[in-house]
Amino acid sequence: MSRPEDKLPPDLFYNDNESRKYTTSSRIQNVQCDMTNRALELLELNSPSLIIDIGCGSGLSGEILSSISLSDGGPHMWVGMDISASMLGIALQRDVEGDLLLSDVGQGIPFRPGTFDAAISISAIQWLCNAESSEANPQGRLSRFFNGLYASLRRGSRAVCQFYPKNEAQRSMISNAAIKAGFGAGILEDDPGTKNSKMYLVLTVGGGETQGDTTSVVKNMRDVDIQDARRKSGITGRSEMRKGSKAWIMWKKEQMEKRGKVVKASSKYTGRKRRVAF
């Protein structure tokens, strides 16, 4: 069965008809409810918080955020971002309690640093892996998204993104982009190996409660693949790099990728010293 993101960009795929079908489907409502509650469980919020909902659609997950009881740490306030005007239109018709923003998260998160206490995303970030033009490469879109998300979250906060990667390469591309942005990342899979498998990218922002170990949130969970860029050995600090060296070139290329630039692939010849030609 073909995937929706392989057919059309999200703003075109979720037109008025598809948005209405998605929102009124009882099966989708139940699945959204289960995944949102699971994400809230991973966020472990103990008090009413301001949450950004990435790819909020018609507000199905946002309604759950607003309905959390005081005894369970709610109710939460939320701001929803989505690229589909039709989805947001239905959210307005349903009179959801959150604030709504029509925006492409692949261009970044347009909020002040430290605005949000947490972030949630249900079935959305895999859309960033599909580029509609040669200028909008997936790596650049993921980089802008995760860098903007990292900046918008307060220190010590968490983000949980439920997503459906097409394959292992796409899963790695998403998690690596999050790590490059500064997050500690753990990938948790519920019901692995079944058709009901659900994957959650659990992200932590350094500082605050985590005290430097950005993976402390997920390290004791079952079926978690912990990834922390700071644990890689042999990474040279920028101050120790010599301009023109291979390490310096690789660092520059990484910075260009973060800005969404198209960068040539590295090879064994990258940074190679060449003989002086007479």
Side-chain angles (χ1 to χ4, degrees), residues 193-211:
T194 69
K195 66 177 183 179
N196 295 320
S197 174
K198 301 291 186 298
M199 197 166 291
Y200 298 84
L201 179 65
V202 184
L203 305 172
T204 57
V205 181
E209 301 166 0
T210 55
Q211 293 299 318

Side-chain angles (χ1 to χ4, degrees), residues 10 21 35 37 45 54 78 86 94 97-98 105 110 117 130 144 155 183 194 196 214 217 221-222 234-235 242 247:
K21 284 166 53 179
M35 292 190 298
N37 283 318
L45 298 170
I54 307 298
W78 58 279
S86 297
R94 297 172 68 239
E97 294 185 23
V105 298
D117 301 311
N130 292 63
R144 287 188 290 272
R155 303 294 285 177
F183 286 106
T194 69
N196 295 320
T214 58
V217 176
M221 293 181 181
R222 295 178 58 190
I235 296 181
R242 179 178 56 82

Side-chain angles (χ1 to χ4, degrees), residues 60-278:
L60 294 177
S61 54
E63 281 186 325
I64 296 172
L65 300 179
S66 301
S67 65
I68 301 299
S69 65
L70 188 62
S71 60
D72 291 328
H76 303 295
M77 297 178 291
W78 58 279
V79 175
M81 293 180 64
D82 204 281
I83 196 174
S84 170
S86 297
M87 278 288 197
L88 294 180
I90 292 178
L92 288 172
Q93 293 172 18
R94 297 172 68 239
D95 197 24
V96 297
E97 294 185 23
D99 294 322
L100 304 173
L101 175 64
L102 178 63
S103 180
D104 177 9
V105 298
Q107 299 302 320
I109 308 295
F111 291 95
R112 292 181 178 179
T115 297
F116 299 101
D117 301 311
I120 191 172
S121 179
I122 306 298
S123 308
I125 62 173
Q126 70 270 6
W127 287 89
L128 293 172
C129 296
N130 292 63
E132 288 75 52
S133 65
S134 58
E135 292 81 13
N137 64 317
Q139 291 85 355
R141 291 176 60 76
L142 286 167
S143 176
R144 287 188 290 272
F145 165 63
F146 282 116
N147 277 288
L149 181 62
Y150 186 91
S152 70
L153 293 170
R154 64 171 176 80
R155 303 294 285 177
S157 61
R158 310 174 188 177
V160 176
C161 303
Q162 183 277 326
F163 69 114
Y164 293 107
K166 184 187 298 185
N167 47 42
E168 187 64 31
Q170 197 172 91
R171 166 182 158 158
S172 297
M173 181 167 62
I174 290 172
S175 60
N176 287 339
I179 291 168
K180 284 183 178 180
F183 286 106
I187 295 181
L188 173 65
E189 186 173 5
D190 286 347
D191 301 319
T194 69
K195 66 177 183 179
N196 295 320
S197 174
K198 301 291 186 298
M199 197 166 291
Y200 298 84
L201 179 65
V202 184
L203 305 172
T204 57
V205 181
E209 301 166 0
T210 55
Q211 293 299 318
D213 181 8
T214 58
T215 56
S216 63
V217 176
V218 293
K219 68 180 180 182
N220 294 319
M221 293 181 181
R222 295 178 58 190
D223 303 318
V224 174
D225 177 16
I226 294 176
Q227 302 180 47
D228 190 340
R230 299 174 311 167
R231 295 186 178 183
K232 295 178 182 178
S233 59
I235 296 181
T236 307
R238 180 185 170 188
S239 59
E240 300 174 7
M241 294 181 191
R242 179 178 56 82
K243 186 173 182 179
S245 66
K246 184 170 183 177
W248 182 85
I249 292 172
M250 297 300 290
W251 174 80
K252 289 291 287 185
K253 293 176 76 171
E254 182 179 321
Q255 296 301 305
M256 291 176 69
E257 285 180 345
K258 284 184 177 181
R259 298 187 185 102
K261 305 291 186 182
V262 178
V263 180
K264 289 185 178 180
S266 300
S267 70
K268 64 180 180 179
Y269 300 109
T270 301
R272 181 188 61 172
K273 291 184 178 180
R274 291 172 171 78
R275 294 179 182 178
V276 179
F278 292 98

